[in-house]
């Protein structure tokens, strides 16, 4: 178990162009932490360079990951204390419409790139003797919903990654924590719609009717689901996970996450499926 982090320790936060990553980086920096924020696009780095130490990192590119780690360690004088793995996106669509190439596109960032970055950071944490690793998962990392299959799969894989690392890093000073948000205000839906347009042709799908409702939900302004919380709700939980002497293995954020965590343990699978179909909209909302 690692020691709790405290200002001015250095923390890497990935995926900071908007939403959870941006608000978490702002929050940690306001607390006095030395924050290194990653973004994928140069224009976002230019936009945010006045607010943070910003590093370019495209998790779908091994060279970009290697350069980002080197730059992060340079900016922190080789004393990086923790990482919040937040960078991810969702590719919506029925699984029968998701090609192998599309699924690989989803996993390159959410799973493979996160794993590659984390491997390099673990080597650093082992060398310095401590570290704290926090993964941003999702309610969809343990409760799958329709028309989100590629994202469900990637978050289930992330949960497996974290659970395995927690076992393998036992007896070290490196903690592994999962944060599992439900609906949060962000650009997630807008980015998901762009990915859908890139990879799925709804005009050739059996699910054309369901896609009409799904697209309407993705394009809707403001909260598209009940109990949606601002991104600051996750930032507060990430603070707890970094600063607790003995962090929880999982932090569940929003009422839907708490609800489905218990329903999965209490309900027969078919009853749970019915609840998930209703909550997920079945493509109709």
């Amino acid at each position: 178990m690692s020691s709790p982090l405290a200002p001015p320790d250095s923390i890497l936060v990935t995926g900071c162009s908007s939403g959870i990553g941006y608000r978490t980086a702002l929050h940690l920096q306001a607390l006095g932490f030395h924050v290194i924020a990653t973004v994928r696009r140069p224009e976002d780095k230019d936009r945010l360079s006045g607010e943070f130490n910003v590093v370019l990192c495209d998790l779908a590119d091994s060279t970009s990951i290697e350069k980002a780690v080197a730059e992060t360690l340079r900016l922190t004088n080789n004393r990086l204390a923790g990482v919040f793995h937040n960078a991810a996106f969702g590719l919506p669509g029925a699984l029968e419409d998701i090609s192998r190439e599309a699924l690989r596109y989803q996993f390159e960032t959410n799973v493979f790139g996160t794993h590659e970055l984390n491997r390099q950071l673990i080597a650093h944490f082992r060398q310095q003797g401590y570290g704290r690793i926090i993964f941003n998962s999702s309610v969809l990392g343990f409760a799958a919903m329709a028309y989100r299959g590629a994202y469900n799969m990637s978050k289930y894989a992330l949960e497996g990654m974290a659970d395995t690392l927690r076992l393998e890093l036992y007896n070290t000073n490196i903690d592994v924590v999962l944060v599992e948000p439900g609906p949060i205000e962000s650009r997630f839906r807008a980015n998901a719609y762009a990915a859908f347009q890139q990879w799925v042709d709804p005009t050739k799908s059996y699910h054309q009717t369901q896609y009409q409702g799904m697209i309407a939900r993705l394009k809707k302004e403001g909260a598209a689901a009940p109990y949606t919380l601002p991104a600051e709700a996750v930032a507060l939980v990430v603070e707890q996970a970094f600063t607790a002497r003995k962090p929880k293995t999982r932090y569940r954020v929003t009422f839907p996450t708490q609800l489905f965590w218990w329903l999965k343990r209490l309900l027969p699978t078919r009853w749970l499926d019915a609840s998930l179909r209703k909550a997920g909209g079945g493509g109709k909302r």
Side-chain angles (χ1 to χ4, degrees):
M1 183 185 303
S2 68
S3 299
L5 274 59
D9 283 339
S10 296
I11 296 174
L12 177 66
V13 180
T14 70
C16 294
S17 62
S18 63
I20 290 173
Y22 175 70
R23 293 298 174 184
T24 300
L26 274 182
H27 180 71
L28 293 174
Q29 184 165 271
L31 293 173
F33 287 100
H34 178 208
V35 174
I36 310 299
T38 81
V39 296
R40 184 172 56 88
R41 299 180 301 183
E43 54 267 36
D44 288 326
K45 180 179 180 181
D46 293 340
R47 176 172 56 87
L48 298 175
S49 59
E51 298 186 63
F52 312 108
N53 284 308
V54 184
V55 171
L56 285 175
C57 184
D58 183 349
L59 291 177
D61 184 334
S62 294
T63 300
S64 178
I65 292 171
E66 187 174 351
K67 289 180 179 179
V69 171
E71 179 66 5
T72 297
L73 294 179
R74 184 189 69 80
L75 289 169
T76 60
N77 293 318
N78 213 41
R79 299 293 292 178
L80 182 68
V83 58
F84 177 43
H85 289 290
N86 167 71
F89 71 96
L91 169 57
L95 276 178
E96 63 193 89
D97 294 332
I98 302 295
S99 67
R100 181 172 183 157
E101 291 75 20
L103 190 61
R104 183 182 294 115
Y105 173 75
Q106 175 77 97
F107 268 62
E108 283 292 348
T109 293
N110 290 17
V111 182
F112 305 146
T114 298
H115 168 65
E116 185 174 3
L117 172 61
N118 199 55
R119 284 187 65 221
Q120 296 189 34
L121 296 180
I122 287 175
H124 163 74
F125 292 148
R126 282 192 181 277
Q127 185 176 25
Q128 79 178 3
Y130 68 93
R132 193 161 287 191
I133 300 168
I134 302 176
F135 292 99
N136 194 22
S137 181
S138 170
V139 61
L140 300 180
F142 63 84
M145 292 185 182
Y147 301 99
R148 300 159 175 84
Y151 186 73
N152 292 336
M153 292 166 69
S154 74
K155 290 301 185 179
Y156 268 71
L158 190 74
E159 297 248 340
M161 184 191 308
D163 286 343
T164 303
L165 285 170
R166 194 175 61 253
L167 297 172
E168 294 175 349
L169 295 173
Y170 184 74
N171 286 333
T172 73
N173 289 321
I174 305 172
D175 284 318
V176 180
V177 177
L178 278 161
V179 175
E180 297 168 325
I184 296 291
E185 294 174 359
S186 71
R187 286 190 50 78
F188 184 87
R189 282 183 286 117
N191 293 333
Y193 181 51
F196 177 78
Q197 290 178 298
Q198 179 179 352
W199 288 101
V200 179
D201 182 359
T203 65
K204 298 180 180 179
S205 173
Y206 175 85
H207 300 273
Q208 288 184 51
T209 301
Q210 289 85 351
Y211 281 158
Q212 293 174 13
M214 187 195 78
I215 290 169
R217 177 178 58 81
L218 292 175
K219 295 172 70 174
K220 182 180 177 181
E221 295 291 334
Y227 306 106
T228 298
L229 293 180
E232 286 80 2
V234 179
L236 290 171
V237 169
V238 173
E239 175 195 346
Q240 294 176 38
F242 275 130
T243 60
R245 184 186 64 81
K246 186 177 181 180
K248 300 177 183 179
T249 55
R250 280 172 167 80
Y251 290 84
R252 292 178 284 278
V253 187
T254 74
F255 173 75
T257 305
Q258 298 283 2
L259 175 63
F260 282 106
W261 177 262
W262 286 108
L263 290 181
K264 186 165 186 177
R265 278 145 186 78
L266 297 173
L267 294 183
T269 299
R270 293 188 185 280
W271 292 14
L272 177 64
D273 285 351
S275 297
L276 289 166
R277 283 195 300 271
K278 183 176 181 180
K284 297 176 183 178
R285 282 194 296 181

